[in-house]
């Protein structure tokens, strides 16, 4: 039967989450955590831990805190969260040492359980790795006869580096969205079993004892159940994400962002100066273009090499270059605030180069690897974390920043493992991530209204825990403006992350539409030959009209898998149930021989007559929702080419 359920919550959704997760979040013995101690696999909180539970209602969630302690003094606390407005449940566990060191605990799993359902298909994503194939969604049939076993983990210690901590398990009639919240080296294993799928997820390596008074935590596991097909699962997740995950500075949604910048004419922002920044801010203001944020990226600090050249990766001098910004960056933010604009500034405090102030003054805060060109700032050290909090809080206030942009252009994992003591494997990573959370939380608490832009060599740290504290305004460092990749990244990321940004590199329709996303960075200069001000005004006006569609429902229309080829048609739909309107964005790549393709629209009222306007030629057709769902022909006469369709209820 064709799926006609709305993308809002229905009672069947809540029934599905109870069927899959009720015992896991309400019964101490059935809690889905597990670990090995003394050769024994312990699951849940067994009776010998004398478990007790406290239940508390907090707004739209019911939080249950299970606590138990065994004869060795090991105390385990498991917090389960049950949402009352969405079919979502979450689990996170904490382990605390007693009067003496605990026994060695290994293979600690934040989730070790089973999901029941017929003919399960696992959808997974490739993550970000400087490729047009980044964020590519793939699927695997998990039938028991195939004995399918799928293992996932990122590369090098950043959550989304060649893997993605979000999954969709689609069964007959319903599905599950699954997220592993951990911005470091997580793992997730899925194994087909009779009647469903077994899943294990947690930190990839744990083999450690816990010292007296010491506490460690697991990744957070989030499970959403939904009735219907995988497309409905996409949109129920998006609605939950907008309400419960997306940060709300000062209790308000993150403002819709339109960034502008000028780098001074050199590599990154190494040639930026107080003078040219103030000059170009005024040029953008005078242009009448509706920018609301000014972006200064890498290279504004003192990054001068011994030969006098500037090299932006020389990180570790976290103060404005005195030759280019004699009195710091406050003149920049003051001018921006006068014009009602916010100020975004780039930092990368987790990586420090030799012969910089941070390394010379705080060597005891650095982790170093053999042959490496840089140091990793040791957030596993509480004192180092405290110093970073105070320092960055001071810079936010001193420079008048509205957005704090944090990048992370290195793989930390070998530093963590090499710094672990004997029988303490995984401990450095745990402490590092715990203090990373504390750092981000404290900056937000001390600076009401502060927004955090999360970057890690592009989008390599987009796990749900980090997303609850930040927004990814630059989703990948993949070849800037390469249209095939940009189209595919939008297509794949929208499955789980409704808010993400990238740059626009041209004012023609094909480039502009290839870069469409919910947050845009305008990579033009006012004087650029890539577009006149009237061209820019036209494109930005169109973007402002289209942007609201990214904040409701999304449907991929041209399949899954590798869509990067030059012979591909790619199309997606953004639908607004709030007013019955929507858009279709489509691309015919340069080597595709077909001047048309057929797609089936979703989320429409079958009886409603819709007016469909072709954004290329202005032609308007009227079709019922049923006709659009049965098949809509998209036509692009020349390749490469793009098409934008806008639809809404026809006037009676």
């Amino acid at each position: 039967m064709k799926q006609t359920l709305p993308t809002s919550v229905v009672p069947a959704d809540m029934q599905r989450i109870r069927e899959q997760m009720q015992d896991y979040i309400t019964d101490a013995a059935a809690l889905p955590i597990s670990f090995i101690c003394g050769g024994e696999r312990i699951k849940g909180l067994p009776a010998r831990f004398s478990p007790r539970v406290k239940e508390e209602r907090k707004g739209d969630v019911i939080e249950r805190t299970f606590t138990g302690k065994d004869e060795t003094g090991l105390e385990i606390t498991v917090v389960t969260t049950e949402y009352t407005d969405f079919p979502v449940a979450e689990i996170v566990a904490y382990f605390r040492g007693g009067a003496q060191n605990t026994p060695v605990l290994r293979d600690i799993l934040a989730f070790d359980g089973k999901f029941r359902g017929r003919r399960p298909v696992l959808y997974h994503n490739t993550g970000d790795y400087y490729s047009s194939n980044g964020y590519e969604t793939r699927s695997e049939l998990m039938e028991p006869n195939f004995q399918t076993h799928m293992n996932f983990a990122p590369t090098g210690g950043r959550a989304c580096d060649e893997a993605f901590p979000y999954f969709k398990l689609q069964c007959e009639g319903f599905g599950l969205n699954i997220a592993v919240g951990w911005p470091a080296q997580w793992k997730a294993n899925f194994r087909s079993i009779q009647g469903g799928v077994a899943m294990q997820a947690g930190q990839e390596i744990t083999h450690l004892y816990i010292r007296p008074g010491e506490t460690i935590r697991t990744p957070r596991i989030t499970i959403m159940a939904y009735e219907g097909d995988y497309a409905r699962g996409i949109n129920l997740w998006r609605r939950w994400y907008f309400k419960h995950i997306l940060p709300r500075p000062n209790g308000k949604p993150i403002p819709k962002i339109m960034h502008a910048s000028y780098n001074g004419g050199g590599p990154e922002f190494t040639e930026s100066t107080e003078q040219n920044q103030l000059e170009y801010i005024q040029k953008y203001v005078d242009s009448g273009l509706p920018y609301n944020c000014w972006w200064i990226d890498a290279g504004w600090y003192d990054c001068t090499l011994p030969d006098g050249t500037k090299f932006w990766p020389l990180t570790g001098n976290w103060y404005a270059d005195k030759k280019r910004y004699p009195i710091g960056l406050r003149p920049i933010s003051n001018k921006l605030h006068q014009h009602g604009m916010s100020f975004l500034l780039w930092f990368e405090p987790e990586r420090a180069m030799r012969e910089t102030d941070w390394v010379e003054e705080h060597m005891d805060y650095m982790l170093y690897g053999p042959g490496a060109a840089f140091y990793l700032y040791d957030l596993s050290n509480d004192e180092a974390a405290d110093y970073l909090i105070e320092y960055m809080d001071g810079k936010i206030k001193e420079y008048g920043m509205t957005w704090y942009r944090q990048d992370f252009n290195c793989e930390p994992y070998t530093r963590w493992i090499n710094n672990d003591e004997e029988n303490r494997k995984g401990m450095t990573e745990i402490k590092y991530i715990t203090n990373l959370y504390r750092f981000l939380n404290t900056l937000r608490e001390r600076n009401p209204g502060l927004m955090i832009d999360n970057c890690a060599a592009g989008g390599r740290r987009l796990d749900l825990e980090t997303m609850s504290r930040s927004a990814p305004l630059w989703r990948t460092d993949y070849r800037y403006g390469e249209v095939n990749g940009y189209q595919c990244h939008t297509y794949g990321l929208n499955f789980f992350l409704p808010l993400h940004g990238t740059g626009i590199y041209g004012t023609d329709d094909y480039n502009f539409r290839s870069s469409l996303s919910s947050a845009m960075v305008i990579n033009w200069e006012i004087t650029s030959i890539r577009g006149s001000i009237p061209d820019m005004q036209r494109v930005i006006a169109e973007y402002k009209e289209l942007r609201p569609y990214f904040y409701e429902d999304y449907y991929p229309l041209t399949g899954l898998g590798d869509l990067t080829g030059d012979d591909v048609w790619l199309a997606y739909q953004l639908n607004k149930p709030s007013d019955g309107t929507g858009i279709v964005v489509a691309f015919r790549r340069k080597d595709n021989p077909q001047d048309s393709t057929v797609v089936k629209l979703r989320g429409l009222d079958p009886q409603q007559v819709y007016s469909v306007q072709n954004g290329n030629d202005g032609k308007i057709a009227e079709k019922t929702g049923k006709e659009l769902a049965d098949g809509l022909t998209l036509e692009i006469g020349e390749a490469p080419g793009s098409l934008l369709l806008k639809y809404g209820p026809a006037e009676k």
Side-chain angles (χ1 to χ4, degrees), residues 157-158 183-184 315-316 318 346-353 358-359 365-368 374-380 388 392 404-412 415-416 429 432-433 435-437 439-440 452-457 461 466:
R158 293 173 295 181
T315 53
W318 292 120
W346 182 96
F347 286 85
E348 193 185 357
E350 294 169 84
R351 182 174 64 91
M353 304 293 281
W358 273 36
V359 171
Y365 294 167
M366 303 293 162
L367 296 179
Y368 186 67
F374 65 89
Y375 292 85
L376 182 69
Y377 191 87
D378 186 12
L379 278 175
S380 72
L388 184 62
M392 287 302 170
Y404 167 76
R405 172 169 166 79
Q406 179 155 320
D407 208 340
F408 192 31
N409 290 296
C410 62
E411 296 182 355
R415 312 292 179 91
W416 292 337
E429 177 183 345
Y432 191 105
I433 296 306
N435 275 330
L436 175 64
Y437 293 154
F439 169 67
L440 298 175
I452 296 174
D453 171 22
N454 158 46
C455 185
R461 202 153 63 175
T466 308

